Amino acid sequence: MSSAATNTECLAWGAPGDKAAKRLLLLGSGELGKEVALEAMRLGLEVIAVDAYRNAPAMQVAHRSHTVDMLDGARIRALVEAEQPALIVPEVEAIATATLVELEQEGWNVIPTARATRLTMNREGIRRLAAEDLGLTTSPYRFAENREEYRDAVAQLGLPCVVKPIMSSSGKGQSLVREEAAIDAAWDYACTAGRGKDARVIVEGFVAFDTEITLLTVRAADGTHFCPPVGHRQEDGDYRESWQPCPLHPDTLAACQHMAAAVTEALGGWGLFGVELFIAGEPSQPQTVYFSEVSPRPHDTGMVTMISQNMSEFELHVRAITGLPIGDIILLQPAASAVILAPGSSEAPQFTGMAAALQVPTSKLRLFGKPRCHRNRRMGVALALGETVTIARDRARTCASKVQVLL
Ligand code: AMP
């Protein structure tokens, strides 16, 4: 773990702006990056935020920012050479990962590792690592890069199946195909909505799971740590609400931790990872666990930890990547998050209803400050505690529903 070794050697840093400052170059400045930036600032790091558009959320709280196309390797290299960061911290998937691999070979510290960012940018890389190299249980799957291969894949896997571009997130280009008549439309959608230039898709057998969870897993100087499981509900491939803890049978929790340890160890480096797992069965009995995906960085569903734990996923990430110990992760109370989505497009969205929203007991709001929106863009999140997860979920949903995004 070369990045880990580098971290250990650098456990002294000066004030931001000083030549001994520890500079963190944040590649991706959305809502998750904003929280990472804030936590890094709390530990006295110098934060430089980067994204493809001006005034992105993390830019609003960083020491300085740059607006560049993050898939442009030459621009990323030029930025790294100019800023001389101690830590290069990718916060989104769509980055010039080949350049990160080169930079790491030259001695720059990419979090958690350049290989992890490359493998997880592409569904094929991480799926093959998990299923074929590590032997983890996943949905059955096939890859296809033209319509004929795609039809063969669907025929082999059967219906229903899930079709996704190999480079996409937040449900973009994803379809659940239930009937023959929908097969061709799913291919067309995956090809037009994916992030990459190639028409390459993964076709997955549909897993009839009962629960899906994110197991936030931290690799740090004092070992590997797990947060209590975060349950979540997705709609159209994107997260709508999450809660913690999510009840699991003890054997199931052990199986989840085993999978998360295996996949994060294979990716290597230090930092927090969001390991997404599907769980089939009820918690009264041992359940079946399927590995789905992993993000080598804080996870959107993990925003609930901003209220539920003694350390949020963002604080955990910053501690781990700076070489600091984690200690004990403590769940303070059952808690939930619910997203606030834009109802349509605007170049100058505004929020209203916050006063009513915060009438909900224990609730908190995070409004991300995104300067523009389109339909269903995530603009904020409501957080709440409860004596039970059910109470916390009701509160978070009620709080979120009171906030309106005006277009
Ligand atoms: P992903 O972008 O792969 O995380 O998929 C987004 C969401 O779609 C997941 O969180 C699940 O709710 C659902 N999904 C993805 N793949 C499958 C599958 N093979 N079977 C059932 N549901 C799935």
Side-chain angles (χ1 to χ4, degrees):
M1 292 201 320
S2 61
S3 53
T6 317
N7 279 338
T8 319
E9 287 154 20
C10 296
L11 280 183
W13 57 83
D18 191 271
K19 70 176 183 322
K22 194 175 183 79
R23 282 184 293 281
L24 186 158
L25 185 72
L26 194 59
L27 299 178
S29 295
E31 59 267 38
L32 306 181
K34 179 179 178 183
E35 297 297 330
V36 170
L38 289 168
E39 292 300 338
M41 305 276 246
R42 288 194 173 109
L43 284 174
L45 272 57
E46 183 173 324
V47 179
I48 304 129
V50 184
D51 211 319
Y53 64 99
R54 274 175 213 279
N55 203 25
M59 294 179 178
Q60 298 167 23
V61 299
H63 289 98
R64 59 186 173 280
S65 64
H66 300 278
T67 306
V68 304
D69 172 2
M70 290 189 298
L71 289 165
D72 181 340
R75 294 293 307 277
I76 297 293
R77 168 175 288 280
L79 257 185
V80 167
E81 288 171 356
E83 292 287 3
Q84 301 279 312
L87 302 162
I88 300 173
V89 184
E91 277 307 317
V92 292
E93 285 165 6
I95 299 183
T97 53
T99 304
L100 296 184
V101 171
E102 288 167 18
L103 289 166
E104 186 180 77
Q105 280 161 1
E106 293 162 28
W108 300 98
N109 187 6
V110 178
I111 299 298
T113 61
R115 178 168 164 271
T117 62
R118 185 171 55 76
L119 286 174
T120 53
M121 180 188 186
N122 178 324
R123 294 181 189 277
E124 184 163 4
I126 190 62
R127 178 53 66 105
R128 289 200 192 277
L129 173 78
E132 297 170 26
D133 299 349
L134 301 174
L136 305 184
T137 305
T138 65
S139 60
Y141 61 91
R142 296 273 186 285
F143 296 98
E145 57 189 11
N146 56 49
R147 199 179 285 271
E148 202 184 349
E149 280 180 19
Y150 163 70
R151 286 195 180 130
D152 278 355
V154 176
Q156 279 169 16
L157 293 165
L159 296 179
C161 65
V162 183
V163 181
K164 310 170 193 175
I166 59 164
M167 294 225 230
S168 76
S169 54
S170 305
K172 292 190 193 82
Q174 178 169 327
S175 308
L176 169 60
V177 181
R178 292 183 187 278
E179 56 196 14
E180 293 275 330
I183 295 176
D184 278 337
W187 167 259
D188 294 334
Y189 179 45
C191 291
T192 51
R195 192 197 308 132
K197 290 175 226 86
D198 309 328
R200 191 163 169 84
V201 303
I202 181 170
V203 186
E204 293 183 31
F206 179 76
V207 179
F209 58 78
D210 294 281
T211 310
E212 57 183 316
I213 67 158
T214 305
L215 193 61
L216 298 170
T217 303
V218 198
R219 284 171 53 83
D222 60 347
T224 296
H225 307 256
F226 303 101
C227 297
V230 173
H232 50 94
R233 186 177 63 78
Q234 306 262 331
E235 240 173 66
D236 302 325
D238 205 11
Y239 129 82
R240 295 293 190 264
E241 47 170 339
S242 69
W243 55 90
Q244 193 187 29
C246 177
L248 295 177
H249 188 278
D251 293 355
T252 310
L253 180 60
C256 292
Q257 293 183 348
H258 179 78
M259 275 195 184
V263 77
T264 57
E265 189 182 337
L267 293 173
W270 284 354
L272 176 133
F273 299 72
V275 182
E276 292 180 46
L277 304 166
F278 298 152
I279 314 287
E282 293 305 318
S284 53
Q285 310 247 331
Q287 299 146 296
T288 307
V289 182
Y290 298 83
F291 172 84
S292 172
E293 286 196 319
V294 57
S295 66
R297 59 186 70 98
H299 196 266
D300 50 8
T301 62
M303 284 193 280
V304 66
T305 60
M306 288 192 278
I307 194 168
S308 60
Q309 296 188 164
N310 62 330
M311 287 176 277
S312 73
E313 62 169 346
F314 309 103
E315 182 176 354
L316 292 167
H317 193 51
V318 172
R319 280 205 194 195
I321 68 179
T322 48
L324 296 171
I326 298 301
D328 292 329
I329 300 171
I330 299 165
L331 182 80
L332 303 171
Q333 231 192 303
S337 77
V339 300
I340 297 164
L341 301 179
S345 297
S346 171
E347 291 297 307
Q350 294 186 16
F351 294 98
T352 184
M354 288 76 82
L358 292 173
Q359 300 284 324
V360 175
T362 76
S363 66
K364 290 178 189 286
L365 282 174
R366 298 284 182 268
L367 303 179
F368 305 144
K370 290 181 182 172
R372 277 178 294 284
C373 64
H374 50 258
R375 196 174 125 70
N376 283 348
R377 187 168 197 201
R378 197 186 305 138
M379 303 300 283
V381 70
L383 306 167
L385 297 167
E387 291 71 44
T388 64
V389 156
T390 309
I391 296 171
R393 283 179 68 181
D394 280 348
R395 286 176 173 169
R397 273 195 307 257
T398 307
C399 179
S401 71
K402 304 280 181 201
V403 178
Q404 281 174 284
V405 182
L406 305 176
L407 305 177

